[in-house]
Amino acid sequence: MHTHNPTQTIEPQAERDIVIRALNVKRHYGSGEAVTKALDGVTLTVYRGEYLSIMGPSGSGKSTLFNMIGGIDTPTSGMVFIDEIDVARLDAFEMAWMRCNKIGYIFQSYNILPTLTALENVTLPMRFAGLSPDEAREKGAEILRAVGLGDRLFHRPYELSGGQQQRVAVARAMANDPVIILADEPTANLDVDTGSEIIELLCDLKRDRGLTVISATHDMKMLNVSDRILWIRDGRVQRLEERRNLDIKIGTVASREAGKKAVAR
Amino acid sequence: MTDDQAQVRIPRQPPLSWRIVLRVSLAGMQRRMMRSVVTVTCVVLALAFLAYMLVLADITQALVELNDSKLNILLSERGVDIFAATQMDAMTLLLIGLALLTCTVGVANSMLMSVTERVREIGTLKCLGAQDRFIIQSYLVESTLQGLFGAAVGVLLGCAVAVAASSATYPGYVLSSFPTAVVLRSLLASMAVGLFIAVAASIWPAAAAARRRPVDALRVEE
């Protein structure tokens, strides 16, 4: 079912391949008078190999949308297709399969499983996907080397810094060669330099492996490397813009403030 | 897209080897060492009581069957009914039942709290592709190991106390006419009861854990 091919070629980007389609997605919590419309009809297309950042204040429906397109929540109405699979039609087993094989998750607070080594954290999703222990170990070590943790394979989370833990999380997200990487504020708990390293790592993976990266973020540096930026407000799409049409300046601390103003405009 | 297409694209997940379930269970116990100790202690105490009662009854019965006149006087002084067919009365059974019930509730409570504490871990596992079955298995493996360990320690403890106490009361008689086969049977029965309690008490917590949703992985507060 699952074969790993490190020399897999990346399809040309000439024709924009759609990886996620959300059609008029609504998500309501509660019912009757007390209904909360977390998402109120969002339509969105995400292309293969792009880097999409989702912005929005808390309570805007940003997280809800993120969960919908990540296959970890199902809409009240509307449709979500992930890699041409209609999420609503999947049963619990198939959803687990899709989360395992199609999507890699990166969390704000790393969510590395405690007491398991870095390598075990990375091989766990491979075991869920049906790889043998030996295959998983080999492939896990290879991915950890690729994220720069080749000498930390048998370290446990408490022996790793925040940045290293997030690298383990990135490696774990890559475990089953997913189509999509979902990153929920991946740099929020990291200092500026370590955060930049993680962003760089995500960009490299996007470029080298043709991954689609979707991240919820407030980090200007992440917006800067995005291909498109989506603003969500009150459960609706407020704005969707190509990066090149935006004036984001970073580099020095002084110009970062200017960049913030430009985006907040 | 039709249903057929969806079926073609999504293969069944192969069954997971128990080794990986065991690894995750052990990691869970290691992480929450104190909680595991509480659970195990609960089983140890209840099972020590059960084994003590059973073994004491076995030994007393063996002594009654000796029908030694000096011993019979000693036994009567201790209030043992030397004409009864068994040394288990209704009151003893009630006490044992209550102890086991308390143990069951204690284990269930401890396991439920462990589910609450590990909501984010369970959510993360689900995001990585774990099925409900995996979560249930890892909880059951955890409680089986705790039950086995707790029952073994408890049963040995109870047996030792029973032998020591009866040796003190009827000096010289217990070891010479020790009913090994009967006592072993009692100990095995106690082990089985302990294991059953540990597993039965964690069925509900395991199901509660499996019902957690992958969204829970995104919780920041803890």
Side-chain angles (χ1 to χ4, degrees):
Chain A
M1 158 187 115
H2 184 102
T3 53
H4 174 60
N5 182 3
T7 58
Q8 203 170 9
T9 50
I10 296 149
E11 292 141 46
Q13 293 291 306
E15 201 173 282
R16 297 201 86 178
D17 199 358
I18 293 170
V19 76
I20 293 177
R21 272 190 297 157
L23 301 173
N24 198 23
V25 170
K26 293 182 182 176
R27 181 69 164 98
H28 298 174
Y29 296 102
S31 57
E33 294 281 300
V35 69
T36 310
K37 294 176 177 175
L39 277 186
D40 198 18
V42 169
T43 298
L44 172 71
T45 306
V46 183
Y47 300 103
R48 195 178 298 276
E50 83 166 328
Y51 194 134
L52 176 74
S53 285
I54 304 177
M55 295 269 290
S58 58
S60 60
K62 177 181 60 168
S63 315
T64 312
L65 175 64
F66 192 76
N67 295 341
M68 294 296 158
I69 58 185
I72 48 183
D73 201 356
T74 43
T76 310
S77 73
M79 294 173 99
V80 177
F81 294 90
I82 299 177
D83 210 20
E84 295 304 314
I85 299 169
D86 182 355
V87 173
R89 282 173 190 260
L90 302 183
D91 62 22
F93 286 94
E94 293 165 336
M95 283 296 273
W97 179 88
M98 198 176 66
R99 286 193 288 266
C100 185
N101 290 279
K102 293 280 180 194
I103 304 166
Y105 300 89
I106 299 170
F107 306 96
Q108 178 178 344
S109 37
Y110 326 134
N111 290 20
I112 299 296
L113 296 173
T115 73
L116 293 184
T117 64
L119 185 60
E120 282 172 326
N121 263 289
V122 179
T123 51
L124 192 59
M126 297 179 188
R127 301 303 306 281
F128 288 146
L131 259 67
S132 76
D134 291 337
E135 287 172 312
R137 236 189 332 270
E138 206 167 299
K139 189 178 170 192
E142 183 195 314
I143 297 178
L144 277 169
R145 273 193 290 275
V147 301
L149 290 176
D151 55 344
R152 296 278 191 280
L153 297 186
F154 303 105
H155 284 57
R156 291 170 199 278
Y158 58 83
E159 300 168 317
L160 299 171
S161 68
Q164 286 169 335
Q165 288 192 43
Q166 195 62 301
R167 276 170 191 273
V168 174
V170 173
R172 183 177 66 182
M174 299 296 305
N176 291 322
D177 306 303
V179 184
I180 304 153
I181 292 274
L182 272 185
D184 180 39
E185 310 237 6
T187 58
N189 284 7
L190 300 172
D191 63 62
V192 179
D193 293 336
T194 324
S196 303
E197 284 169 27
I198 295 292
I199 294 169
E200 225 167 90
L201 184 59
L202 285 175
C203 288
D204 290 348
L205 292 171
K206 186 201 101 165
R207 195 184 54 237
D208 301 342
R209 307 195 185 208
L211 279 170
T212 309
V213 180
I214 302 172
S215 89
T217 190
H218 290 107
D219 190 332
M220 282 301 138
K221 291 191 300 305
M222 290 204 85
L223 296 185
N224 191 39
V225 298
S226 306
D227 298 312
R228 286 193 302 163
I229 298 157
L230 174 74
W231 280 267
I232 294 284
R233 187 177 279 272
D234 300 329
R236 292 168 179 278
V237 174
Q238 189 188 25
R239 190 175 168 199
L240 178 60
E241 200 73 70
E242 298 267 335
R243 161 70 187 90
R244 59 169 174 270
N245 299 335
L246 288 170
D247 179 28
I248 302 174
K249 289 196 192 76
I250 57 159
T252 65
V253 178
S255 62
R256 260 176 80 195
E257 287 308 308
K260 254 182 202 154
K261 282 191 195 108
V263 174
R265 181 186 50 186
Chain B
M1 184 160 71
T2 66
D3 282 326
D4 293 344
Q5 269 174 300
Q7 289 301 318
V8 169
R9 297 184 68 132
I10 296 174
R12 302 300 286 177
Q13 188 170 324
L16 271 170
S17 88
W18 281 94
R19 213 160 67 171
I20 194 83
V21 178
L22 190 66
R23 186 69 193 89
V24 170
S25 305
L26 285 176
M29 278 191 268
Q30 225 175 322
R31 170 87 194 281
R32 311 281 184 200
M33 206 31 131
M34 273 317 291
R35 182 154 310 294
S36 298
V37 170
V38 170
T39 314
V40 169
T41 310
C42 201
V43 178
V44 167
L45 291 179
L47 267 289
F49 181 67
L50 173 65
Y52 169 79
M53 288 306 217
L54 290 178
V55 171
L56 198 62
D58 290 342
I59 291 174
T60 314
Q61 187 62 30
L63 295 180
V64 167
E65 278 161 14
L66 273 183
N67 207 12
D68 179 291
S69 53
K70 247 168 75 188
L71 182 60
N72 277 353
I73 296 170
L74 263 179
L75 285 166
S76 302
E77 276 175 5
R78 297 288 156 190
V80 175
D81 181 359
I82 54 174
F83 302 108
T86 165
Q87 297 301 328
M88 281 285 166
D89 58 22
M91 198 57 192
T92 315
L93 289 176
L94 183 70
L95 275 178
I96 291 176
L98 278 177
L100 295 183
L101 188 67
T102 314
C103 168
T104 313
V105 173
V107 172
N109 179 42
S110 171
M111 294 300 273
L112 272 176
M113 286 183 77
S114 138
V115 173
T116 318
E117 279 174 0
R118 278 194 248 171
V119 164
R120 209 158 58 108
E121 266 170 66
I122 297 166
T124 307
L125 281 171
K126 286 204 158 183
C127 280
L128 298 182
Q131 290 178 356
D132 292 3
R133 200 178 48 190
F134 176 82
I135 310 283
I136 291 178
Q137 280 173 346
S138 62
Y139 266 87
L140 290 184
V141 164
E142 187 176 322
S143 64
T144 305
L145 291 177
Q146 287 171 344
L148 268 179
F149 182 72
V153 173
V155 161
L156 289 178
L157 188 72
C159 178
V161 173
V163 171
S166 54
S167 299
T169 319
Y170 316 110
Y173 291 100
V174 173
L175 291 179
S176 57
S177 58
F178 193 74
T180 315
V182 188
V183 167
L184 268 181
R185 212 177 56 199
S186 292
L187 294 188
L188 282 178
S190 308
M191 281 290 291
V193 168
L195 194 57
F196 174 77
I197 285 179
V199 174
S202 60
I203 288 176
W204 182 35
R211 273 199 305 272
R212 305 309 310 209
R213 297 180 313 142
V215 183
D216 292 327
L218 296 166
R219 290 190 181 187
V220 179
E221 84 287 356
E222 217 184 342

